[in-house]
Amino acid sequence: MAERKKVLVLGAGYAGLQTVSKLQKQLSEEDAHITLINKNDYHYESTWLHEASAGTLSYEDVLYPIDSVIKDHVEFVRAEVTKIDRNAKKVETTRGIFDFDILVVGLGFESETFGINGMKEHAFQIENVHTARKIARHIEDKFANYAASKTKDDNDLAILVGGAGFTGVEFLGELTDRIPELANKYGVDQSKVKITCVEAAPKMLPMFSDNLVNHAVSYLESRGVEFKVGTPIVAANEKGFVVKVNDEEQTLEANTVVWAAGVRGSQLMEKSFEGVKRGRIVTKQDLTIEGYDDIFVIGDCSAFIPEGEERPLPTTAQIAMQQGEHVAKNIQHILKGEPTENFTYVDRGTVASLGKHDGVGLVYGREITGKKAAFMKRVIDTRAIFKIGGLGLAYKKGKF
């Protein structure tokens, strides 16, 4: 009897957990030994972090135990990956060394500050459930401090957000829902609250049309957000952001500063593979890497360039989950001695929430705004839970 192949999956984000979710349904214990390694014993919905960061959603609602979605014949190891030896087919972790026959790397993302001086030290990053919880607590603490203080520092009610991409705009939307609650709770004049978003690029939400962007801007401005688009941030310090306007530096002050303008793949990627840029490695069309037909890289660590195109796909949950499904299929092909299949991304659309009651999106080629977009966002979020954890988890953790 042939020895069982060892399938090792690193990371329980959207990509890694979707891979395991599919594999465990289609492979028995006799087919392969599947091991999932993740540094936490829970999965968190990273696309919901903006809600937890604003405090409109409890951080507990963003996560669920990994054990609740994996079956008995999958081994789960809570450990941090410290080294990948691709030639020796070994992965070193804080809980020992693991051999593999087939490796799936889905180690997820980290915040990227693009070398802006002081950004890591002086700004919060929307990175994980811990940072989200800190941001939400900090914002409320500043309101409480303002209410209790005799001197009244207006900067306690000032919030600076760096970046008007997807995460930044969704975070702004949640803030506009949260601020009235905090103002009411602490007896603060809401007109004194100042939310400012700074974006270096000439356009926010570059994935959307001008029509959708204008809707988002108008809606958020009507709820008190001020935008400074085309304004580079050159530094962050204890006062706030240092920005450049007409070749002159200015300081925008606030006691809450949040950086939401960029992510990169895990830093372990640079240590483990050649040709890695910002934690991402270019994969072949079947999602393996050059020279290694038994190593798949997916999710935030993957730079997948569709055939005939020049730029890699963005790092989104939708793409990561489709990659996870596809890798599960290709692993089955390998185990059966069959050729792998190339990955084809099916773009079902993208929706950005602007709080609970509004949004903008493009779904199957059709633009949607307002309550319709907000509803579709809840559908998308709940579907992601269902795809991994089934009906029971979708009922428990979904948005309906």
Side-chain angles (χ1 to χ4, degrees):
M1 184 175 173
E3 189 177 344
R4 283 187 307 161
K5 295 288 187 184
K6 295 177 181 177
V7 178
L8 189 58
V9 181
L10 309 182
Y14 290 111
L17 201 54
Q18 181 71 320
T19 303
V20 171
S21 176
K22 288 296 177 184
L23 280 177
Q24 68 184 5
K25 292 173 186 174
Q26 293 151 355
L27 296 180
S28 69
E29 194 170 1
E30 290 74 35
D31 294 324
H33 182 83
I34 305 166
T35 304
L36 171 64
I37 299 177
N38 194 62
K39 64 182 177 182
N40 302 308
D41 59 4
Y42 55 82
H43 163 89
Y44 61 87
E45 296 290 300
S46 57
T47 58
W48 302 6
L49 289 177
H50 61 284
E51 297 170 85
S53 297
T56 54
L57 189 68
S58 165
Y59 80 96
E60 289 112 327
D61 291 333
V62 176
L63 54 84
Y64 55 82
I66 290 171
D67 282 344
S68 68
V69 296
I70 61 172
K71 297 186 177 180
D72 290 342
H73 64 282
V74 174
E75 180 185 5
F76 170 62
V77 180
R78 182 181 180 182
E80 189 159 356
V81 178
T82 55
K83 184 181 178 182
I84 300 170
D85 190 332
R86 60 191 189 277
N87 293 317
K89 292 195 169 189
K90 294 181 184 295
V91 171
E92 296 181 16
T93 76
T94 50
R95 292 277 301 277
I97 298 173
F98 295 82
D99 301 321
F100 66 84
D101 295 300
I102 300 170
L103 179 67
V104 181
V105 182
L107 288 170
F109 73 91
E110 300 171 9
S111 180
E112 172 64 273
T113 59
F114 305 106
I116 298 174
N117 187 42
M119 191 62 77
K120 280 193 180 295
E121 295 78 15
H122 298 289
F124 288 103
Q125 326 282 316
I126 300 178
E127 259 186 330
N128 52 52
V129 288
H130 300 296
T131 59
R133 192 180 186 191
K134 284 180 184 176
I135 295 167
R137 282 181 168 179
H138 176 86
I139 292 170
E140 181 157 359
D141 285 348
K142 290 303 169 188
F143 272 74
N145 189 60
Y146 181 89
S149 172
K150 292 180 180 179
T151 55
K152 306 294 184 195
D153 181 359
D154 286 343
N155 283 338
D156 278 343
L157 302 181
I159 301 171
L160 277 174
V161 178
F166 213 86
T167 301
V169 167
E170 289 201 313
F171 178 56
L172 291 168
E174 296 302 318
L175 282 177
T176 64
D177 280 354
R178 181 66 170 146
I179 294 308
E181 296 176 11
L182 291 176
N184 182 59
K185 181 177 181 178
Y186 292 102
V188 169
D189 182 354
Q190 192 178 327
S191 67
K192 290 184 176 294
V193 179
K194 186 177 182 183
I195 305 172
T196 307
C197 177
V198 186
E199 170 58 57
K203 178 188 173 184
M204 54 184 275
L205 291 175
M207 71 291 293
F208 290 140
S209 69
D210 290 344
N211 178 52
L212 293 178
V213 172
N214 291 339
H215 177 93
V217 171
S218 297
Y219 179 80
L220 293 173
E221 284 182 341
S222 73
R223 307 194 81 199
V225 177
E226 179 186 356
F227 288 96
K228 293 184 181 293
V229 180
T231 306
I233 301 171
V234 295
N237 56 35
E238 63 280 353
K239 291 183 178 180
F241 288 149
V242 180
V243 300
K244 188 168 277 191
V245 180
N246 297 325
D247 292 328
E248 289 188 10
E249 290 188 358
Q250 300 176 6
T251 299
L252 305 177
E253 296 188 11
N255 287 346
T256 300
V257 181
V258 180
W259 175 249
V263 296
R264 50 156 289 139
S266 168
Q267 293 195 31
L268 194 66
M269 293 298 293
E270 278 93 342
K271 299 173 185 175
S272 306
F273 305 100
E274 284 89 28
V276 176
K277 292 181 181 178
R278 289 179 57 201
R280 302 178 71 190
I281 188 169
V282 174
T283 67
K284 295 192 295 183
Q285 293 302 302
D286 66 352
L287 300 176
T288 59
I289 58 173
E290 196 63 48
Y292 297 88
D293 294 337
D294 48 15
I295 299 179
F296 296 90
V297 180
I298 54 179
D300 295 293
C301 297
S302 167
F304 176 79
I305 305 173
E307 197 112 42
E309 297 188 21
E310 296 181 359
R311 296 180 62 81
L313 294 177
T315 53
T316 69
Q318 182 182 180
I319 294 169
M321 292 181 73
Q322 287 188 31
Q323 288 180 330
E325 283 193 62
H326 190 80
V327 163
K329 188 192 299 181
N330 272 344
I331 288 173
Q332 291 175 74
H333 285 318
I334 291 172
L335 294 175
K336 293 175 183 176
E338 300 169 351
T340 57
E341 298 177 34
N342 289 345
F343 173 65
T344 302
Y345 169 55
V346 179
D347 187 357
R348 298 187 175 92
T350 304
V351 179
S353 62
L354 303 172
K356 285 187 170 49
H357 307 293
D358 211 298
V360 292
L362 184 67
V363 179
Y364 289 112
R366 183 173 167 224
E367 292 188 352
I368 56 173
T369 59
K371 291 182 179 178
K372 191 177 291 185
F375 175 80
M376 185 56 67
K377 182 69 172 181
R378 292 195 295 275
V379 170
I380 291 167
D381 287 348
T382 305
R383 182 178 182 272
I385 294 277
F386 172 75
K387 289 280 285 180
I388 290 175
L391 192 59
L393 191 65
Y395 179 77
K396 185 178 180 182
K397 288 287 183 177
K399 294 283 185 74
F400 293 98

